[in-house]
Amino acid sequence: MASYNPPIDDIAFLLNDVLDFDGQMQTLPGYEEVSAELAVSVLEEGGKFCAGVLEPLNRPADEEGCKLENGLVSTPKGIADAYKAFVEAGWAGLSGAPEFGGQGLPRATQILLDEMLSSANLSFGLFPGLTRGAVEAIEHHASDELKAKYLPKMISGEWTGAMALTESSAGTDLGLLTARAEPVGDGSYKIKGTKIFISSGDQDFGGNIIHLVLARLPDAPKGVKGISLFLSPKFLVEDDGSLGARNGMSVGSLEHKMGIHAQPTCVMNYDGAIGWLVGEPGRGLNAMFTMMNAERLFVGIQGLGIAEAANQKAASYARERLQGRSLDGSRGPVPIIEHPDVRKMLLTGRSFIDAARALAIWTAMQMDIAARHPDPAERRRADGFVALLTPVVKAAFTDFGFETAVISQQVFGGHGYIREWGMEQFVRDARITQIYEGTNGVQAMDLVGRKLPMEGGELAGRFFDLVKQDLQAASLVPATERIVAATASALDRLERTTELLLAGSGDPAVAGSAATDYLRLFALTAFGWMWAKMAASAAAADTPPKVRKCAVADFFADRMLPQTLGLETAIANGATSIIALNQDLF
Ligand SMILES: Cc1cc2nc3c(=O)[nH]c(=O)nc-3n(C[C@H](O)[C@H](O)[C@H](O)COP(=O)(O)OP(=O)(O)OC[C@H]3O[C@@H](n4cnc5c(N)ncnc54)[C@H](O)[C@@H]3O)c2cc1C
């Protein structure tokens, strides 16, 4: 069985030839010394850690799962040691702020490490990923005192983070949450309530666990305006930074789940846990959104990571497995990779993966531009693109990621259904990415209901203009005709559909009925855009991915982009057939 091979060549191609990483990053204050060469050499080492340490643990840890005994959580054998090695090697602080001890590398570098972590061991990758999300919220919204006390050890990875939003009656609709926080009188609060589904809610790595908890103050109004955010550590922290008494929180139980078995998903009881406000009272969701946007990009990357690992294994199996005869009937048994249907499955996955990676890097670079560019207009422009693309990355990457896990499993036939090959684990692990961090249906509603109307509808228009410019540039390079023409047609459909939705934006039934199809139409067009850029760069360059890129771009044009025809038609057919049926008749 082939082991995971970190996609370093592809990363180097994207950073150097397609996305002008050096040119974009080196204009940003603080990133003058950053280069693709540096990023690739760092990621090469990161890839070795993922492939050498984390991937071998993936299946045994899935088999063993996490345990809760006498109130103590234990992760499967090897996970705690791997986490310590990860921290000692400095991986936890890769993109952390240098003022708190981080290495300050750009987000694009971070997401590529995240992709490799997700390919190798998704359960493991959630520990540092959630910690980083908590760090973002604290960095942007907490007091200087809290930042100084908590951030250095969280950025180094010595302490981990968790986010505690969900309650049994409050999932998507956080306005329904009931956890309460009462002022103690010394600036701290006592938090009471039960949260469910809390990833990394506890672990056995040592150190501390910093929970960011949503709760209501005693006089808070109902709904989302009454929610505040609190930092509550597992162990209280003394003034000298050492760990003090256990705080009033405990793990009620571990959730029994379909996948990510090496990740402790906890029911957390907060029984008067001491916490401190992060941000202003009643503005907790605002503070939490800082964390959630970073986490949404991260979850999209998880879909990509699993797809890459599953597709690699499927391609390798398809080259070795002998079944059936060659197309002309003259040879047999032949490797199943000769059969068009198997090739189509592999190409479907590959054509999503490469485009998604390029789009993820582009989006991460926009995040860095939004945070650092000296020109406020450039910052605003980049920030708009990030807002528009965040739900697309989260939902489309995880939908296509899951689909890629399933078709990669399909390449194995019955062997894919048997545990020892590891393909069914990809399917089980990938499934959660479509659900947590806001379900994909809710991401689609965010795109249609909130992001499209931004700037009076002009934000999407600016994005479409950018795609057109790049298609125009790509069309000048020979051998890009098919991908450029197919993407231009998809963009026409996307623009027409966007106008239709903006015209009907007063009607929630129209938006709600169209949202998921619209997000897929948007994503396919954005992937086409990235394929046109990659094909143009590959045709001009002489790098290893050249032949593969041009061939897969043609496949994407011929076999994937036509899906946009059906999506446009479905959306144009309107909401009536979705709304008409009486609830009792379902
Ligand atoms: C393994 C796992 C780990 C998790 N980790 C965390 C964590 O670390 N921290 C945390 O706080 N939470 C966590 N969650 C919770 C997760 O984020 C929620 O499960 C998710 O947001 C959905 O909420 P829900 O389960 O209550 O579903 P519901 O909100 O009940 O939704 C049910 C269905 O209705 C749809 N729906 C709901 N409202 C709308 C609407 N307004 N418009 C259209 N459709 C709608 C949804 O899309 C979904 O299909 C985790 C969950 C799991 C399973």
Side-chain angles (χ1 to χ4, degrees):
M1 184 68 173
S3 52
Y4 168 61
N5 183 18
I8 300 297
D9 276 355
D10 194 60
I11 288 171
F13 169 71
L14 290 172
L15 296 181
N16 285 312
D17 298 304
V18 184
L19 296 166
D20 185 23
F21 182 76
D22 288 4
Q24 297 280 320
M25 292 296 102
Q26 287 170 4
T27 53
L28 303 180
Y31 286 170
E32 295 85 355
E33 306 295 317
V34 161
S35 67
E37 196 187 347
L38 171 72
V40 170
S41 67
V42 167
L43 291 165
E44 246 170 3
E45 289 308 307
K48 283 182 199 155
F49 185 87
C50 292
V53 178
L54 297 180
E55 199 212 9
L57 284 174
N58 198 30
R59 218 176 83 72
D62 173 68
E63 295 282 346
E64 185 184 335
C66 295
K67 294 186 188 72
L68 177 67
E69 280 160 355
N70 304 320
L72 298 176
V73 164
S74 52
T75 54
K77 193 162 166 279
I79 293 287
D81 286 343
Y83 185 78
K84 283 173 200 148
F86 179 83
V87 170
E88 271 163 29
W91 294 115
L94 193 71
S95 58
E99 59 185 299
F100 297 111
Q103 294 158 52
L105 283 178
R107 236 170 240 277
T109 322
Q110 180 67 55
I111 58 144
L112 290 164
L113 176 66
D114 290 340
E115 183 203 316
M116 296 190 291
L117 289 169
S118 307
S119 292
N121 196 321
L122 180 62
S123 291
F124 180 94
L126 292 185
F127 290 109
L130 281 155
T131 308
R132 248 192 355 268
V135 163
E136 296 238 2
I138 296 169
E139 223 172 79
H140 285 92
H141 300 284
S143 66
D144 288 344
E145 199 187 332
L146 287 179
K147 285 186 206 173
K149 200 164 192 176
Y150 290 93
L151 286 182
K153 288 193 171 140
M154 293 178 79
I155 286 177
S156 71
E158 200 179 321
W159 297 351
T160 58
M163 71 181 200
L165 294 71
T166 306
E167 298 177 7
S168 57
S169 301
T172 302
D173 191 352
L174 289 169
L176 297 172
L177 69 82
T178 59
R180 307 204 73 79
E182 284 164 18
V184 174
D186 60 357
S188 69
Y189 295 80
K190 279 193 167 178
I191 303 167
K192 291 187 183 149
T194 298
K195 300 280 178 179
I196 62 168
F197 300 162
I198 306 308
S199 304
S200 308
D202 201 9
Q203 35 82 351
D204 55 355
F205 308 160
N208 209 348
I209 306 171
I210 313 306
H211 291 238
L212 289 185
V213 188
L214 287 181
R216 288 178 187 286
L217 291 167
D219 53 354
K222 284 191 170 160
V224 290
K225 293 211 171 91
I227 301 173
S228 304
L229 181 64
F230 298 87
L231 181 158
S232 185
K234 177 177 172 181
F235 294 100
L236 297 171
V237 180
E238 305 293 349
D239 288 341
D240 65 359
S242 61
L243 296 187
R246 269 292 301 248
N247 202 354
M249 66 174 77
S250 58
V251 180
S253 61
L254 290 180
E255 308 286 4
H256 299 280
K257 317 188 287 282
M258 174 177 176
I260 52 168
H261 289 156
Q263 167 58 227
T265 310
C266 304
V267 173
M268 289 300 310
N269 296 321
Y270 300 92
D271 302 311
I274 299 291
W276 291 267
L277 251 178
V278 175
E280 291 167 37
R283 305 263 300 150
L285 267 195
N286 180 47
M288 202 54 142
F289 263 117
T290 308
M291 181 173 186
M292 287 200 287
N293 278 334
E295 289 298 307
R296 282 176 181 172
L297 183 65
F298 173 51
V299 175
I301 299 297
Q302 293 168 23
L304 166 63
I306 292 214
E308 171 69 47
N311 181 271
Q312 279 188 19
K313 285 200 171 19
S316 149
Y317 184 83
R319 278 190 289 264
E320 286 164 16
R321 173 76 172 164
L322 304 176
Q323 293 287 293
R325 303 199 67 77
S326 58
L327 285 179
D328 63 4
S330 68
R331 289 173 293 112
V334 294
I336 58 171
I337 201 163
E338 291 196 23
H339 303 308
D341 189 55
V342 172
R343 300 174 71 86
K344 180 164 170 269
M345 288 193 275
L346 295 172
L347 282 162
T348 299
R350 179 52 55 197
S351 69
F352 148 65
I353 292 162
D354 289 10
R357 183 177 298 121
L359 188 61
I361 297 172
W362 185 85
T363 309
M365 281 166 43
Q366 297 302 311
M367 283 174 135
D368 283 324
I369 294 168
R372 287 170 181 259
H373 203 286
D375 179 350
E378 287 296 320
R379 287 205 297 274
R380 268 198 306 279
R381 182 179 140 85
D383 201 39
F385 289 149
V386 173
L388 187 66
L389 282 162
T390 297
V392 178
V393 169
K394 195 283 174 180
F397 284 27
T398 58
D399 280 348
F400 282 104
F402 177 71
E403 289 165 28
T404 302
V406 171
I407 49 178
S408 303
Q409 180 193 34
Q410 188 76 8
V411 169
F412 281 70
H415 299 277
Y417 199 71
I418 304 300
R419 292 182 82 134
E420 69 184 87
W421 290 92
M423 300 309 287
E424 56 84 46
Q425 186 187 346
F426 288 135
V427 174
R428 287 186 289 104
D429 284 357
R431 189 66 182 88
I432 187 57
T433 63
Q434 298 172 290
I435 297 171
Y436 60 19
E437 218 36 70
T439 61
N440 285 0
V442 170
Q443 302 301 319
M445 293 292 297
D446 178 47
L447 176 65
V448 172
R450 288 188 55 234
K451 303 299 168 58
L452 283 191
M454 276 168 80
E455 301 176 23
E458 283 180 18
L459 171 60
R462 274 198 289 124
F463 178 72
F464 301 153
D465 288 345
L466 182 65
V467 176
K468 277 179 208 161
Q469 277 167 29
D470 282 346
L471 290 181
Q472 171 63 27
S475 72
L476 304 176
V477 181
T480 61
E481 297 84 0
R482 271 149 81 185
I483 185 64
V484 168
T487 306
S489 302
L491 184 61
D492 284 345
R493 287 176 202 123
L494 180 62
E495 285 193 283
R496 281 197 296 270
T497 309
T498 305
E499 275 166 30
L500 191 78
L501 292 182
L502 283 172
S505 61
D507 184 349
V510 170
S513 305
T516 296
D517 287 338
Y518 179 80
L519 188 141
R520 196 173 175 95
L521 170 60
F522 197 116
L524 283 163
T525 311
F527 291 157
W529 169 44
M530 284 296 141
W531 270 118
K533 284 169 78 71
M534 287 190 284
S537 305
D542 194 19
T543 50
K546 176 174 174 157
V547 174
R548 177 160 102 166
K549 291 292 175 198
C550 292
V552 183
D554 283 348
F555 171 84
F556 193 78
D558 290 356
R559 305 304 299 231
M560 299 299 285
L561 279 173
Q563 289 180 21
T564 58
L565 277 161
L567 292 165
E568 182 189 20
T569 309
I571 295 167
N573 284 341
T576 315
S577 59
I578 291 179
I579 300 300
L581 190 62
N582 188 297
Q583 283 183 25
D584 300 335
L585 299 177
F586 273 82

